[in-house]
Amino acid sequence: MSAEATSPGARSRRRGRTSIDLRRLGKAALLGPASRDRLPDAIGHVADAHRAHHPDADLLVLGKAYVLAEMSHRGQFRKSGEPYITHPLAVTLILAELGAETTTLTASLLHDTVEDTDVTLDQVRAEFGDEVCYLVDGVTKLEKVDYGAAAEPETFRKMLVATGNDVRVMSIKLADRLHNMRTLGVMRPEKQERIAKVTHDVLIPLAERLGVQALKTELEDLVFAILQPQEYERTRTVIADVATAGPSLDPVAEDVRRTLREADITAEVVIRPRHFLSVHRARLKRGEMRGTDFGRLLVLVGEDADCYAVLGELHTCFTPVISEFKDFIAAPKYNLYQSLHTAVAGPDGAVVEVLIRTHQMHKVAEAGVVALGNPYAPVDGAEPADGERADPTRPGWLSRLLEWQESATDPDTFWTTLRADLAQDREISVFLADGGMLGLPAGATCVDAAYAQHGDGAHGCIGARVNGRLATLSTVLVDGDTVQLLLAHSPVQAPRNGPDGDGEGSAGSAADIKGTEGAEGTHVGRRGADPEVTRDPAHGQPQDTAPGPSPEWLDHARTPAARIAIAGWLAANPESLRVPAAPPRTPGAVTAGRRGVANVVVDVPEATVRLAGCCTPVPPDAVTGFTVRGGAVTVHRAECPAVGRMTALGRPPVAVSWGDEAECRVTLYAESFGRPRLLADLTEAIATAGAAIVSANVEPPSEQRVRHMYTLQLPDAAGLPGLMRAMRDVPGVFDVRRAQHEPAP
């Protein structure tokens, strides 16, 4: 059976919650159903709580559900001795107090019938309809006989999938777990601890995400008492001592009431004591606790505008603590929560926290999605288009969870990943360059954004732009960032100056680009040789069998969807983890020596002439020369920075002109994203353009970029612009330019 035994000594119930007399319920349950003209006595208080929120509710269906549940569970008892029917009654009362609608209460009365009795789902559907049947099926556990050790994780998977279609499934599960936690005391300590850990890791985060704070805070206290009994007792003692001394927030609350009356603002001011775990956390954070630290003031008003009016009065008449101000009305939390948070200093200097919200906001803050009633009911009596139900209660985190769980086929992987996912308790929103938006957990990186937007297509991600600037895939995104993911076959734009390619250059297609993100940047392919070593251009980059993510991406991924997809690709492509030996060099491909005579004519007889490596002039560039040590003449392009430095030092220029030979030598720098086969494709483009490679070098990758340097021999200088265009058209290359200064060491 799913419910546990009662604990007579449970002392951590929330103040103000209706106390359930299990003995009275048990006696009423044993008496059986009442006469046809009235509800059974056992659910009288459930009906009262339900009518308080829904005055026009039809209670006959509740009576019918109770009769079926009572008959089905008759003869079953909880471990504490109460009739088992007291458990579904207690769960239903919890939901009724939160304002759940009739369908949810009907399903909660029946939630254990299919699991623990002979009642079938077909019977529930025939008696109560498809919606109730779906809810009951959603919370029904899978049998250990069929699933063994995987029964618990697969049960939660089943519930979460059902929650994706109807959020009321999880509402019933949370209420069910709350009553079981309230009545856990007679279980063995090891079983108490196991249930408490699952509640802490899974159910409490789900309650937080669904905004059901009333259930979340009580679950936290119950788990706190089991997992940290000594700290719980110490906290309980501290709270009891403060209660004996009298509430110190009363004078401040009265001052606030008077201030709002004088401002002619209608408001209700109440003191909300902190729950046990909240006091414990505050004590760890602040050390010595003052009386005002044990509670908050809650100000309830009628309209949104009144919230800001109250805020203005408090900040005018009291000393505000500006660092404590938060506006969750203008920017609601992802779990529907809305409120203004502030803090003011009391007369004695003590800081008092204040929450300001409307009555409707307060209802949603306490009950979360339960306060929405039936979010699937047709609007104005009309069915949603195409038979689909518009679901306002399926937030981004739930959609992401439902997506990645499909890939986590192994129960252990699903269970571990689910706990890790739910441990991330904040969300951010990032905007896409095309106008869309992504919801991601706090701490997410560009890798997570890529998989959230493109799924398995993100295997071809080669980089990103964050707020318009190139960024590494490991870049952590913050709320409000704009991100553009650069994938294989997507265009990469860069500025371009002049027809000859001087300046910043132009980017071509990014087809087949695949970067490998590491701790220090994006490497040139996963398995390339050391980029600091001069390479053999004939062989170029070692080839990969398939483009895809590298193991380093797992270090940057925070979302389960990204981690599962990356791990799956790596498992399917084990060769991506092997580093092949460098290919042997071909004897004819060694770096050639310099020519002894350059194709220039100088006015210095018998002088040795050489082209400057800092700017590598070629015909028809405007050139000038300078005599250097040893009598040699070095020829520079006229716009080379070295010319200015030589002139400033007082060195006289030497007249230089081009000879009749068309052949020339030039040094080009190429900027690119790293990917497999990049060097091979570049050298192929160079060879196709008719140039010979004298030498080639690739610098270590840095911040997404890889820099290449080629010294090339061209048969005709007129072919240089076409060669540079061909190099830019290589996928992944976004800039090709002539050398204009010595590269940084």
Side-chain angles (χ1 to χ4, degrees):
M1 297 183 187
S2 59
E4 305 299 346
T6 57
S7 172
R11 293 171 291 195
S12 54
R13 263 182 217 165
R14 290 174 53 86
R15 294 181 181 178
R17 184 174 295 281
T18 304
S19 177
I20 303 173
D21 187 343
L22 293 178
R23 292 186 178 181
R24 186 174 68 83
L25 284 180
K27 183 177 180 181
L30 290 174
L31 293 176
S35 59
R36 293 183 179 180
D37 58 346
R38 65 185 182 91
L39 288 172
D41 292 338
I43 61 168
H45 50 321
V46 172
D48 293 341
H50 187 38
R51 278 282 172 83
H53 293 277
H54 304 277
D56 300 327
D58 180 7
L59 301 180
L60 292 180
V61 67
L62 291 181
K64 183 179 178 182
Y66 168 76
V67 171
L68 176 59
E70 190 278 328
M71 292 178 61
S72 302
H73 290 296
R74 187 173 295 176
Q76 296 177 347
F77 295 88
R78 308 193 83 211
K79 292 188 177 180
S80 57
E82 282 82 17
Y84 192 84
I85 189 61
T86 58
H87 170 66
L89 280 170
V91 172
T92 306
L93 179 60
I94 292 170
L95 292 169
E97 290 174 340
L98 292 175
E101 37 70 56
T102 308
T103 301
T104 304
L105 300 186
T106 303
S108 68
L109 282 169
L110 301 170
H111 78 273
D112 276 338
T113 54
V114 174
E115 181 180 328
D116 294 333
T117 74
D118 294 332
V119 174
T120 65
L121 286 173
D122 289 338
Q123 288 178 274
V124 173
R125 181 181 292 106
E127 292 289 333
F128 300 97
D130 291 336
E131 278 191 300
V132 172
C133 178
Y134 185 87
L135 297 179
V136 172
D137 183 35
V139 295
T140 299
K141 291 181 181 179
L142 299 175
E143 294 292 341
K144 285 189 177 181
V145 174
D146 299 324
Y147 288 86
E152 185 173 40
E154 289 302 326
T155 293
F156 272 97
R157 188 201 298 265
K158 172 175 174 281
M159 290 180 186
L160 288 168
V161 172
T163 300
N165 293 322
D166 196 325
V167 75
R168 294 173 292 182
V169 170
M170 192 53 63
S171 300
I172 297 172
K173 178 59 182 177
L174 291 172
D176 173 62
R177 179 54 60 94
L178 176 57
H179 184 248
N180 284 338
M181 288 296 297
R182 285 176 178 174
T183 59
L184 204 60
V186 298
M187 303 298 296
R188 299 188 309 275
E190 58 272 19
K191 188 167 185 179
Q192 290 187 41
E193 185 173 346
R194 183 186 66 78
I195 295 174
K197 284 182 177 178
V198 173
T199 303
H200 174 272
D201 293 346
V202 180
L203 274 304
I204 289 176
L206 286 171
E208 168 69 19
R209 281 159 172 72
L210 294 174
V212 194
Q213 295 296 321
L215 302 188
K216 179 219 172 192
T217 53
E218 187 173 357
L219 283 171
E220 285 182 330
D221 284 351
L222 292 165
V223 169
F224 181 37
I226 293 173
L227 298 184
Q228 302 182 65
Q230 295 181 347
E231 290 297 326
Y232 174 82
E233 286 300 325
R234 185 178 295 112
T235 303
R236 190 177 66 84
T237 301
V238 171
I239 293 175
D241 292 343
V242 172
T244 302
S248 59
L249 282 172
D250 278 349
V252 182
E254 190 55 42
D255 288 344
V256 171
R257 293 188 186 100
R258 183 175 61 254
T259 298
L260 298 181
R261 281 197 304 269
E262 292 172 354
D264 198 25
I265 298 176
T266 302
E268 180 183 355
V269 180
V270 296
I271 298 173
R272 284 176 61 86
R274 289 180 182 270
H275 63 102
F276 282 32
L277 184 60
S278 179
V279 171
H280 172 68
R281 289 170 175 167
R283 188 163 58 86
L284 293 178
K285 179 180 178 182
R286 303 175 187 177
E288 183 178 354
M289 300 277 286
R290 305 183 66 168
T292 54
D293 294 332
F294 289 87
R296 302 181 181 93
L297 294 185
L298 173 63
V299 182
L300 299 175
V301 294
E303 303 292 338
D304 290 10
D306 295 336
C307 295
Y308 293 98
V310 170
L311 180 70
E313 289 297 323
L314 293 181
H315 282 192
T316 301
C317 300
F318 297 86
T319 302
V321 182
I322 301 301
S323 62
E324 296 294 324
F325 172 68
K326 298 180 181 68
D327 188 346
F328 295 118
I329 295 178
K333 288 186 177 181
Y334 65 92
N335 61 359
L336 308 178
Y337 179 85
Q338 287 184 288
S339 187
L340 294 178
H341 289 203
T342 189
V344 297
D348 58 351
V351 175
V352 178
E353 295 183 34
V354 185
L355 311 178
I356 309 168
R357 59 181 72 141
T358 66
H359 291 279
Q360 177 60 25
M361 290 177 190
H362 181 59
K363 179 180 178 182
V364 175
E366 290 292 290
V369 295
V370 178
L372 297 179
N374 181 5
Y376 310 102
V379 179
D380 297 330
E383 289 292 335
D386 301 328
E388 295 182 359
R389 298 189 295 188
D391 186 353
T393 66
R394 183 167 173 175
W397 66 266
L398 181 55
S399 296
R400 292 196 305 272
L401 188 154
L402 294 175
E403 289 173 3
W404 68 252
Q405 67 84 25
E406 293 180 357
S407 303
T409 55
D410 177 64
D412 291 336
T413 300
F414 166 77
W415 196 228
T416 303
T417 308
L418 175 65
R419 294 187 178 200
D421 189 13
L422 294 176
Q424 304 177 50
D425 58 354
R426 292 193 304 112
E427 279 208 351
I428 61 171
S429 296
V430 297
F431 300 94
L432 301 174
D434 61 5
M437 188 175 73
L438 294 176
L440 298 169
T445 65
C446 292
V447 172
D448 300 304
Y451 282 94
Q453 182 181 7
H454 299 290
D456 287 345
H459 294 332
C461 187
I462 52 89
R465 293 182 184 271
V466 177
N467 301 324
R469 303 186 65 178
L470 281 173
T472 61
L473 291 177
S474 61
T475 299
V476 176
L477 301 170
V478 299
D479 202 34
D481 275 348
T482 298
V483 61
Q484 176 187 4
L485 287 316
L486 307 177
L487 303 180
H489 306 291
S490 66
V492 181
Q493 297 299 327
R496 185 177 190 175
N497 295 336
D500 63 349
D502 293 344
E504 290 301 320
S506 167
S509 166
D512 298 326
I513 302 170
K514 184 71 201 71
T516 300
E517 183 82 10
E520 297 298 327
T522 300
H523 296 274
V524 187
R526 274 181 312 284
R527 304 180 305 194
D530 185 352
E532 295 182 308
V533 180
T534 301
R535 291 170 176 260
D536 174 8
H539 291 279
Q541 181 96 352
Q543 297 184 8
D544 266 12
T545 56
S550 72
E552 288 86 352
W553 284 25
L554 289 172
D555 297 332
H556 309 317
R558 298 293 179 269
T559 58
R563 296 186 63 83
I564 290 173
I566 294 168
W569 191 93
L570 293 174
N573 297 271
E575 68 279 2
S576 65
L577 303 177
R578 296 195 294 268
V579 180
R585 291 182 179 271
T586 304
V590 296
T591 301
R594 272 186 199 278
R595 291 187 304 157
V597 179
N599 179 32
V600 290
V601 177
V602 299
D603 289 344
V604 180
E606 299 182 358
T608 301
V609 180
R610 62 190 181 199
L611 301 178
C614 59
C615 58
T616 58
V618 298
D621 292 340
V623 290
T624 187
F626 291 92
T627 303
V628 295
R629 183 177 302 174
V633 176
T634 302
V635 180
H636 295 265
R637 294 167 64 189
E639 65 268 28
C640 178
V643 173
R645 292 196 296 270
M646 293 287 191
T647 303
L649 293 173
R651 294 190 179 184
V654 176
V656 178
S657 62
W658 292 107
D660 296 331
E661 294 182 20
E663 189 177 10
C664 67
R665 180 177 296 187
V666 65
T667 298
L668 299 179
Y669 287 96
E671 301 275 356
S672 72
F673 295 108
R675 68 168 177 88
R677 290 189 53 84
L678 179 61
L679 288 181
D681 292 344
L682 267 171
T683 54
E684 182 180 355
I686 293 169
T688 302
I693 300 175
V694 177
S695 65
N697 183 268
V698 181
E699 295 183 2
S702 174
E703 292 299 321
Q704 191 76 20
R705 299 187 178 192
V706 181
R707 194 183 196 203
H708 313 249
M709 183 182 73
Y710 298 94
T711 300
L712 307 174
Q713 191 77 26
L714 279 72
D716 188 344
L720 179 59
L723 168 64
M724 296 178 70
R725 283 193 296 271
M727 293 176 66
R728 290 190 193 103
D729 288 339
V730 172
V733 177
F734 58 84
D735 186 10
V736 177
R737 64 182 183 275
R738 300 260 304 275
Q740 294 189 24
H741 55 79
E742 292 292 346

